[in-house]
Amino acid sequence: MALGVALTSLVAGCSTSAEYIGTTSQGVFFKVPNTWRVFDKATLQRLGLAVNAAANRHAAASGSSYTVYTGLAGASRRLLTKTSLNLYGAVPWALANAVSFGPSDQASMSLAGLQDLLFPLSQWQQGGLTVQQIGSTAVIVRGALRGSRTAFEAQTPSGPLAFEQVAFINSPTNKAWDLAVGCSVPCFQAHRRVINSIVKSFTVTVRGP
């Protein structure tokens, strides 16, 4: 699974029941239960998910897309192995990112394409794996931002996975923000209320032209 994700910062503030994750520089925030673990920059670097400033400069110069923010939290540290994430187990997780599009992706991006930002659902389907949408797609308009909210069950190369996803794109279609929250199919069903709450909390403050 190619996530193509990176970290710039995690800005956390605590309340009695929730912890807020996000970055003012990229204008994206969401909240998770304060019992969840928010994974820091060092952990994301170990997982290969942290921002590489030099790589981003090279991508920008060559007209390629690149990720400028990633936030990751999980209900337990059991989400992690030494070198990877276990997104397919019984531990719910929340994974968000912000992507800056190169000219080619900018020209071809659509609302339908937002579903592939975190997980390559179209590639999985083309490869013969089953990807099933759960319920209908909700189209969201917030000022100059357009977005969608959808849930999926997928037979991925690494195992069955269920998640709910919300994503937004700005008017120039040069930047997108997305959040997915999920785990194994039984876990997803058991934790649907908290997953729904996290997805609903997803906020993008950048309005753009």
Side-chain angles (χ1 to χ4, degrees), residues 59-99:
S62 64
S64 301
S65 299
Y66 55 95
T67 301
V68 294
Y69 166 78
T70 293
L72 173 65
S76 166
R77 189 169 180 82
R78 291 185 295 116
L79 179 66
L80 296 181
T81 67
K82 288 185 177 180
T83 57
S84 64
L85 292 171
N86 179 17
L87 300 180
Y88 312 91
V91 177
W93 47 263
L95 177 63
N97 70 4
V99 180

Side-chain angles (χ1 to χ4, degrees), residues 140-147 168-171 177 204 206-207:
I140 309 169
V141 178
R142 294 182 183 172
L145 300 178
R146 297 169 297 137
F168 291 99
I169 192 168
N170 63 1
S171 294
W177 302 258
V204 177
V206 176
R207 290 294 180 253

Side-chain angles (χ1 to χ4, degrees), residues 9-21:
S9 63
L10 294 177
V11 180
C14 295
S15 70
T16 58
S17 62
E19 182 163 3
Y20 289 81
I21 305 170

